[in-house]
Amino acid sequence: MTTLAPRVPSRFLPVLATVALFVLAFGVGSARYDGFASGQVIANLFIDNAFLIVLAAGMTFVILSGGIDLSVGSVVALSTMVTASGLQAGWPVPLVVVAVLLIGSTLGLLMGLVIHKFDIQPFIVTLAGMFLARGLCFVISVESVSIKDRTFRDVATAAIELPGGVTITYNVVIALLVVAAAMYVLHRTRFGRTVYAVGGSESSALLMGLPTTRVKVGVYVISGLCSSLAGLLFSLYMLSGYGLHAVGMELDAIAAVVIGGTLLAGGVGYVLGGLAGVLVLGTIQTLISFQGTLSSWWTKIVIGVLLLVFIAVQRTMVRR
Amino acid sequence: MTPPLNEPPPPVVEMRGISLAFPGVKALQDVDFRLFPGEVHALMGENGAGKSTLIKTLTGVHRPDGGQVVLGGDEVAFSSPGEAQHAGISTVYQEVNLCANLTVAENILLGREPRRFGGIDFPAMRKRAGEVLARIGVHIDPGSSLGEHPIAVQQLVAIARAIAVDCRVLVLDEPTSSLDAGEVAELFRIMRVLRDEGVAILFVSHFLDQVYEISDRMTVLRNGSLVGEHLTADVDRRTLIAQMIGRDLGALEAIEDAAEKRHPDGPVLLHASELGRRGAIDPFDLEIRAGEVVGLAGLLGSGRTELARLLFGADRADSGRLVVDGKPLRLRGPRSAIAAGIAFSSEDRKGEGLVADLSIRDNLVLAMQAARGWTRPLPRRTKDQLVEKYLKALDIRPANPDALVRTLSGGNQQKVLLARWLVTEPRLLILDEPTRGIDIGAKAQIQQLVTTLAAEGTAVLFISAELEEVVRISDRIVVLRDRRKIAELDGSVTGVDEVVELIAGGAAPEKVVS
Amino acid sequence: MKNRLLWPLLALAALLLLNLIVTPSFFSLRMQDGALYGGLVDVLKNGAPTLLIALGMTLVIATRGIDLSVGAVAAIAGAVTCVHIGTSGSAGTAIAGMAIALVLCAVLGLWNGFLVAGLGIQPIIATLVLMTAGRGVAMLVTEGQIVTVNNTAYKQVGAGFLVLPISILISLLVLGLVAFVTRKTALGMLIEAVGVNPEASRLAGVRSRTIIWTVYVFAAVCAGIAGLMISSNVSAADANNAGLWIEMDAILAVVIGGTSLAGGRYSLTGTLLGALIIQTLTTTVYTIGVAPEVTLVFKAVVVIAVCLVQAPKARAALSFRKVAVPS
Ligand SMILES: Nc1ncnc2c1ncn2[C@@H]1O[C@H](COP(=O)(O)OP(=O)(O)OP(=O)(O)O)[C@@H](O)[C@H]1O
Ligand SMILES: [Mg+2]
């Protein structure tokens, strides 16, 4: 770290700190538990958290622009519900996929428009979006609907073999593609740079003549799209649709993004930070499952404590 | 050079009968304004006269309540600054309105960035930005983030953004408020080039010298109404000022008298020895006496603000000692400085000074209230008296204690900040650029105030980019260069030249007095 | 200022009117054993914990913060008290238990304050730590069981009546207290200053950290009292479900009341109205018999509607001028 520090601009420090922490946590795990340090454990981190990676990518856009999106967990649930019941009703898979993505981005669009046009705080609008999406799940069905469609199951269980005998799922590939796309958009396009500008100072961005409206609405569309895509991934992961899926997942996504060094005030942060944040959260879970003997309350306490350790260490590393 | 003014071409911008009201304020009333191609047109008026508002009405930030805007013969109604930009109006707004979290290059070129393979071409962008900056004589790394640079550089970057594209109309709302003489000269050179190319330039400044140097024509506003439009050559300063303030200029004469040098010999109030902070300012010695005005002169980034922040405890010193009243003082933060009678009015009034969403009243008493602690609120009556006193003393407008500071014009905001510290009756008042963006009448008032305070025994550390001002009111001048104190000049200095020489960094002698 | 509260007030009135139309008996009150009963009283009684938590949240939000841990803190308070009371029926034990619980809550508030003001961690994440771990702690205290108690003194806090429900009296008392303290001292102004511009406040000599610390402790204590009400009302401590998602309701109440999440100006009266709106909404769902499947959809629609009527921009859509960009 120290040898790197002078050459690395300070704005990358939080991300690097998070990555370093992840490596450290992994090191601790490997030292403590047999079989922790295997490629498959790392691969599983990605497999088990693919949907969260996608959510965090979408959330990064929103948070960078200075907003927040609380609806993502519920939109994931709604997407699993639409997927499951659509497939149950015999819709072809492509239709289901398109429908789900359309619903997610439309919801995002609506929230974005309300936020922007009427100047209502994002927290509230997306909280209402959260109620709405979850409510719609129960309108479709209050029961859990399992997915029996062949194609879908095949995709869900298909394993891609990597060198070294490590396997991953298509979910992982999709998640990583989303991360790559998000990075491209944020760093290489006017839209992306305007997201940063709006997060830095909205009134300045407006006076600079940047397309603030498009950006302020657009980030919610992107987040909605990512949420519904994450919902599809979650359906593949759980092979069921249920209104109580993904409860509280919005907080996981926000936590991941913020742990990755993105400022909630907007304007500062990176997609890769969010990815690192997800991996940190995933590692915490993995550590706990390797420990294996914890009661459910100790699990919660340990998650909280580890979260704290990560945040505190990251703070001190960034401050130096 | 200048187009024949007696037979001007049709105006490129024509605003007719513009009116605009904010809640409680009629900012513009039936204002007419014309801007011709190939001229520099100065918009003049006191703080709060409505200059910025007129500009924002032109560029689509505000929609006028009444009146028309005609651009190049067509009536327009821009609904956003972006549209105005597309129509060929480039604007530098008052205060720096850029994004501190982006790079300098992005701040200059975002919105018309060079592309490659559909994405932004960053190398090309940095190169372009570097070229534009070089055009106005700025040499900084375009890849650095804007927030790292001092306000003046940010202001230059804003100007670079405005001239980075071809435009028909260039609007500059107080672009020179933070610039030093060299930078202003550079800016004027560019403005002349653009003017000769036929660009219409709208220019706002409270520096009359600058206005007379650069402008061809001027429009004067007072209290939101049009007073008149003149050729610059036709009005002398006296008339202009009288038009702006609406009466004769008694106040202005006063400073000239105050300029006479005094030799304060009060007791030493503050003594810093080897005080310094790595990366901010090298260790320095400084002594300030009660009743003395010490000026800080130096270029941008020479460490003026950094020095002031150390004395106030806003940043912590990592070396040296501070003695106040003969007793060592360890500054743990602004609070301990304030307790020792030190006050600091920051140059960045938006970010570090005012609490924009609170009222004038709350902003005025904030420092005093903070010093008393929350359990001992100032009695309502005392508060009202204080507020009334300072609203009047500094002529803050609107004189409504409940107005939110956010809605005040720049100059009035500055006065509120100043008043906040005066309320605490400090023994050492550190003023970092207190007259930036302030109209000529108010500037005279503030300078007068500094002199009066000093006469009453307050020590003042006065920082300003405007050397004339420093020389005029300081009893002693400390010169900084490259984050180092290089000289201290006593009251015998009368001209700016001597200081300029030191600042500019020829092999000037270490002329240390006292 | 007055104007800003008009719209939440109208929203509340509209909701109440809806109830009146659907269930005409909604407004009827009856006295029984020196206690008042009726639809309105129910709203007050059930809304008391939310109101209390929202009060603490208002001050936290005014400093530009947010406290997600209040639900967990409420659960801890209930758990600690119930476990302390155990099988005892004495008032002394109940009071001691509550005192212990509230002191513990204050400590938890100090902890949040330490993370936010001391370490400078973003509030949402700082309090997420306690939100997660806090439920674990509550379960640890109750050992994962639902602990029931039978203590008349304790029962008073959440279910007792002094003509009006004691719980709402407590909440209103706290409201009055906060209003008095923030207005009569300079605390309110300093909180707002810190919320609007922390750096400028620091340079003006405001003890920003102490103030931030204070509001988190206050929020935690409020959450603690609310937790006592919730647990006392059912004479049991349910570590898993007590106060679940109440932080969201509280935040919603604060925002509906016109306080911005960006910090700065806040309105306690607004929060009161906001909390009443939220609770009336929940009650309405039952009284007008909204099907459980669409409860959430209904709630979403009402929340948006309430926000829309309040939004100056939505109303200004009728008038002409664009909202000015702050210069
Ligand atoms: N957004 C706003 N809301 C309310 N009042 C405003 C707003 N913007 C400006 N005003 C008021 O309009 C009047 C004109 O302000 P303006 O900023 O145009 O003055 P100015 O001539 O540019 O002054 P300065 O030289 O100090 O910059 C002032 O009284 C100011 O308080
Ligand atoms: Mg102005």
Side-chain angles (χ1 to χ4, degrees):
Chain A
M1 225 26 247
T2 35
T3 49
L4 261 177
R7 300 200 48 234
V8 178
S10 59
R11 53 202 148 123
F12 294 134
L13 226 52
V15 177
L16 287 180
T18 313
V19 173
L21 264 175
F22 165 63
V23 173
L24 195 76
F26 213 83
V28 170
S30 323
R32 283 207 53 170
Y33 308 107
D34 286 336
F36 197 97
S38 76
Q40 193 57 47
V41 170
I42 297 187
N44 286 348
L45 269 183
F46 282 88
I47 294 173
D48 296 337
N49 292 293
F51 45 89
L52 198 53
I53 292 175
V54 175
L55 277 189
M59 186 68 79
T60 304
F61 277 82
V62 178
I63 293 184
L64 278 178
S65 79
I68 197 155
D69 189 349
L70 295 179
S71 72
V72 295
S74 302
V75 174
V76 166
L78 179 61
S79 306
T80 65
M81 207 64 204
V82 172
T83 311
S85 43
L87 291 175
Q88 200 181 35
W91 296 4
V93 173
L95 179 64
V96 169
V97 170
V98 170
V100 166
L101 295 182
L102 219 69
I103 292 175
S105 31
T106 311
L107 220 66
L109 176 69
L110 287 178
M111 290 189 297
L113 284 175
V114 172
I115 290 167
H116 182 69
K117 292 287 170 211
F118 301 121
D119 217 2
I120 305 180
Q121 301 184 39
F123 195 97
I124 292 311
V125 176
T126 58
L127 190 61
M130 166 174 157
F131 293 152
L132 183 70
R134 219 168 270 284
L136 289 176
C137 291
F138 297 120
V139 172
I140 297 176
S141 163
V142 286
E143 304 290 326
S144 164
V145 183
S146 71
I147 295 175
K148 303 214 174 61
D149 183 273
R150 275 314 277 272
T151 337
F152 213 76
R153 285 191 161 250
D154 287 346
V155 175
T157 48
I160 305 169
E161 188 130 352
L162 298 181
V166 176
T167 54
I168 54 170
T169 55
Y170 280 108
N171 274 5
V172 177
V173 179
I174 296 174
L176 293 179
L177 284 179
V178 168
V179 169
M183 282 170 63
Y184 179 82
V185 171
L186 272 180
H187 296 291
R188 291 276 146 182
T189 66
R190 180 185 301 175
F191 180 90
R193 300 321 290 167
T194 307
V195 170
Y196 279 88
V198 168
S201 164
E202 190 186 336
S203 59
S204 293
L206 185 69
L207 290 180
M208 283 164 79
L210 298 176
T212 52
T213 306
R214 207 185 321 151
V215 161
K216 280 186 68 192
V217 179
V219 291
Y220 291 95
V221 177
I222 290 178
S223 175
L225 187 67
C226 284
S227 312
S228 49
L229 183 59
L232 284 171
L233 299 188
F234 201 66
S235 313
L236 285 168
Y237 187 70
M238 303 295 283
L239 287 174
S240 69
Y242 189 29
L244 290 178
H245 271 334
V247 170
M249 199 184 274
E250 57 280 345
L251 288 178
D252 290 339
I254 295 171
V257 171
V258 175
I259 290 175
T262 301
L263 286 190
L264 274 174
V268 180
Y270 299 95
V271 178
L272 276 184
L275 176 62
V278 172
L279 293 181
V280 164
L281 292 181
T283 311
I284 292 178
Q285 295 286 358
T286 314
L287 283 171
I288 286 171
S289 69
F290 264 78
Q291 181 64 32
T293 53
L294 293 177
S295 59
S296 69
W297 48 90
W298 276 112
T299 308
K300 289 192 184 211
I301 295 176
V302 170
I303 292 180
V305 170
L306 286 181
L307 192 60
L308 172 72
V309 170
F310 275 97
I311 302 164
V313 172
Q314 203 236 32
R315 276 302 303 175
T316 35
M317 283 170 87
V318 171
R319 258 198 206 164
R320 255 193 313 158
Chain B
M1 254 167 85
T2 318
L5 286 166
N6 45 2
E7 196 202 311
V12 52
V13 172
E14 193 163 10
M15 301 174 82
R16 292 192 211 111
I18 300 287
S19 298
L20 179 64
F22 292 113
V25 196
K26 283 190 181 155
L28 296 173
Q29 293 175 66
D30 197 19
V31 174
D32 295 330
F33 174 76
R34 314 180 289 166
L35 184 60
F36 294 94
E39 73 168 356
V40 175
H41 191 131
L43 190 55
M44 304 297 296
E46 284 184 292
N47 293 134
K51 303 179 295 292
S52 300
T53 307
L54 186 69
I55 288 172
K56 288 182 175 172
T57 312
L58 170 64
T59 62
V61 177
H62 300 312
R63 204 68 78 69
D65 296 338
Q68 294 178 297
V69 180
V70 179
L71 180 71
D74 307 317
E75 187 171 344
V76 288
F78 301 123
S79 62
S80 77
E83 284 181 24
Q85 232 172 59
H86 281 295
I89 303 180
S90 267
T91 312
V92 175
Y93 293 94
Q94 187 177 9
E95 312 283 340
V96 177
N97 279 292
L98 296 175
C99 296
N101 59 328
L102 299 182
T103 64
V104 169
E106 285 173 329
N107 271 297
I108 294 174
L109 290 171
L110 204 55
R112 51 240 181 180
E113 59 283 328
R115 285 154 178 279
R116 208 161 62 120
F117 308 131
I120 299 176
D121 181 355
F122 281 102
M125 185 157 167
R126 282 192 290 270
K127 188 154 163 287
R128 274 286 320 275
E131 286 162 11
V132 179
L133 284 171
R135 242 179 109 189
I136 52 173
V138 181
H139 301 281
I140 54 174
D141 174 13
S144 56
S145 96
L146 182 79
E148 293 166 13
H149 298 286
I151 295 266
V153 172
Q154 298 188 16
Q155 200 163 45
L156 290 167
V157 172
I159 294 169
R161 177 177 179 85
I163 63 167
V165 280
D166 291 334
C167 56
R168 298 196 259 183
V169 177
L170 177 63
V171 181
L172 302 167
D173 193 355
E174 299 197 29
T176 57
S177 59
S178 312
L179 305 186
D180 64 28
E183 290 154 349
V184 171
E186 203 60 27
L187 172 65
F188 282 2
R189 192 179 52 73
I190 291 287
M191 282 169 68
R192 291 194 181 98
V193 171
L194 291 172
R195 175 188 66 191
D196 296 344
E197 286 169 4
V199 176
I201 301 178
L202 175 52
F203 177 74
V204 178
S205 169
H206 288 295
F207 297 103
L208 291 191
D209 290 341
Q210 294 178 1
V211 170
Y212 275 94
E213 183 185 340
I214 191 80
S215 73
D216 307 308
R217 187 193 297 269
M218 54 177 67
T219 294
V220 183
L221 296 180
R222 187 169 69 231
N223 286 334
S225 306
L226 178 69
V227 179
E229 190 205 80
H230 318 279
L231 293 180
T232 306
D234 294 350
V235 268
D236 63 16
R237 291 174 187 233
R238 270 197 102 81
T239 328
L240 175 63
I241 293 170
Q243 282 202 351
M244 279 164 47
I245 66 179
R247 62 196 135 82
D248 249 338
L249 39 152
L252 296 188
E253 320 276 71
I255 21 165
E256 302 302 329
D257 305 340
E260 132 209 3
K261 294 288 170 186
R262 305 165 310 121
H263 292 283
D265 48 3
V268 174
L269 178 71
L270 173 142
H271 181 93
S273 47
E274 288 298 309
L275 202 64
R277 179 184 164 90
R278 210 160 307 127
I281 182 143
D282 288 356
F284 61 89
D285 291 342
L286 182 66
E287 199 175 82
I288 306 180
R289 288 171 183 277
E292 188 182 29
V293 180
V294 176
L296 268 192
L299 290 177
L300 254 181
S302 60
R304 299 184 305 223
T305 299
E306 288 79 357
L307 188 152
R309 288 177 66 93
L310 282 196
L311 291 183
F312 184 63
D315 296 327
R316 260 197 242 181
D318 52 19
S319 72
R321 280 177 308 122
L322 197 62
V323 177
V324 174
D325 278 339
K327 281 183 284 283
L329 177 67
R330 264 186 55 75
L331 288 180
R332 253 169 277 109
R335 281 187 69 82
S336 29
I338 294 169
I342 304 176
F344 170 62
S345 147
S346 164
E347 64 166 340
D348 181 4
R349 60 174 171 252
K350 208 158 129 192
E352 298 179 348
L354 295 161
V355 183
D357 276 333
L358 292 192
S359 63
I360 295 183
R361 178 190 291 113
D362 287 346
N363 270 285
L364 272 185
V365 299
L366 184 62
M368 182 175 228
Q369 185 61 66
R372 290 168 66 104
W374 65 268
T375 45
R376 293 197 304 137
L378 279 170
R380 180 78 195 193
R381 191 98 98 59
T382 326
K383 240 198 248 187
D384 286 344
Q385 280 167 358
L386 280 174
V387 171
E388 194 179 335
K389 173 173 162 200
Y390 284 100
L391 282 184
K392 199 174 286 166
L394 296 183
D395 190 23
I396 294 170
R397 278 179 263 177
N400 168 13
D402 291 315
L404 296 189
V405 161
R406 174 162 47 89
T407 64
L408 299 192
S409 79
N412 283 305
Q413 290 186 352
Q414 181 66 53
K415 292 190 204 168
V416 172
L417 181 57
L418 195 57
R420 170 195 295 168
W421 290 114
L422 295 182
V423 166
T424 66
E425 299 184 345
R427 292 188 305 152
L428 169 61
L429 180 58
I430 305 174
L431 298 175
D432 195 355
E433 302 280 4
T435 56
R436 174 188 299 162
I438 280 209
D439 69 45
I440 183 154
K443 188 181 258 180
Q445 271 174 358
I446 286 180
Q447 293 173 356
Q448 177 71 51
L449 193 79
V450 167
T451 331
T452 319
L453 282 172
E456 287 166 0
T458 311
V460 180
L461 184 66
F462 191 91
I463 307 177
S464 171
E466 207 186 323
L467 279 182
E468 290 81 359
E469 189 179 47
V470 176
V471 170
R472 178 143 27 102
I473 76 174
S474 307
D475 302 316
R476 202 145 49 83
I477 297 175
V478 170
V479 184
L480 299 177
R481 187 170 75 216
D482 296 335
R483 306 190 177 271
R484 231 158 37 84
K485 174 177 164 185
I486 56 164
E488 203 167 297
L489 308 171
D490 70 4
S492 60
V493 183
T494 44
V496 176
D497 299 345
E498 206 170 329
V499 185
V500 169
E501 207 151 294
L502 278 171
I503 287 176
E510 294 267 317
K511 185 157 137 197
V512 179
V513 186
S514 87
Chain C
M1 201 66 205
K2 293 264 154 36
N3 207 347
R4 275 215 331 233
L5 292 181
L6 184 69
W7 293 96
L9 205 59
L10 283 181
L12 181 60
L15 271 176
L16 289 173
L17 199 68
L18 179 67
N19 277 292
L20 185 64
I21 294 167
V22 179
T23 17
S25 64
F26 188 78
F27 277 74
S28 66
L29 296 170
R30 72 206 146 76
M31 274 301 249
Q32 193 181 327
D33 305 334
L36 216 46
Y37 290 94
L40 286 178
V41 179
D42 281 348
V43 168
L44 290 178
K45 178 163 174 258
N46 298 330
T50 314
L51 170 57
L52 202 50
I53 290 185
L55 284 177
M57 191 71 80
T58 309
L59 297 191
V60 171
I61 287 178
T63 63
R64 233 186 233 190
I66 200 155
D67 189 347
L68 295 182
S69 70
V70 286
V73 171
I76 292 177
V80 167
T81 312
C82 287
V83 167
H84 182 85
I85 293 174
T87 53
S88 160
S90 91
T93 323
I95 291 174
M98 293 192 279
I100 295 173
L102 292 185
V103 169
L104 182 62
C105 290
V107 172
L108 293 176
L110 277 176
W111 167 254
N112 279 336
F114 167 69
L115 292 186
V116 175
L119 295 186
I121 297 172
Q122 300 190 57
I124 199 169
I125 288 299
T127 55
L128 186 65
V129 170
L130 191 53
M131 182 189 186
T132 318
R135 290 245 169 237
V137 171
M139 286 157 79
L140 184 68
V141 172
T142 61
E143 293 177 339
Q145 310 292 319
I146 293 181
V147 179
T148 52
V149 294
N150 191 357
N151 185 311
T152 28
Y154 186 48
K155 185 124 185 97
Q156 292 303 313
V157 177
F161 277 83
L162 260 176
V163 183
L164 284 172
I166 290 181
S167 56
I168 191 66
L169 293 179
I170 295 178
S171 294
L172 291 179
L173 183 75
V174 174
L175 171 65
L177 220 65
V178 186
F180 182 80
V181 170
T182 49
R183 257 186 234 142
K184 288 295 164 189
T185 71
L187 189 59
M189 192 256 274
L190 295 181
I191 286 177
E192 289 183 343
V194 169
V196 176
N197 191 338
E199 180 59 10
S201 304
R202 183 180 83 92
L203 288 181
V206 178
R207 286 182 200 272
S208 319
R209 288 185 185 196
T210 318
I211 285 179
I212 292 177
W213 229 306
T214 313
V215 296
Y216 281 95
V217 171
F218 175 68
V221 171
C222 283
I225 303 177
L228 296 181
M229 289 174 184
I230 295 170
S231 127
S232 145
N233 192 28
V234 294
S235 281
D238 179 350
N240 261 319
N241 296 311
L244 195 60
W245 304 125
I246 202 168
E247 56 276 348
M248 291 299 169
D249 275 352
I251 296 170
L252 206 52
V254 173
V255 175
I256 287 181
T259 300
S260 158
L261 284 167
R265 308 229 121 190
Y266 65 89
S267 158
L268 292 172
T269 328
T271 298
L272 171 66
L273 289 176
L276 289 178
I277 290 176
I278 300 287
Q279 190 53 47
T280 314
L281 179 57
T282 313
T283 311
T284 309
V285 167
Y286 295 113
T287 51
I288 70 174
V290 176
E293 298 94 68
V294 292
T295 310
L296 279 171
V297 177
F298 179 76
K299 199 168 172 184
V301 171
V302 174
V303 166
I304 282 296
V306 170
C307 289
L308 275 182
V309 293
Q310 297 197 47
K313 249 193 169 174
R315 275 180 284 135
L318 297 173
S319 90
F320 304 99
R321 181 138 42 72
K322 261 192 81 165
V323 173
V325 182
S327 47

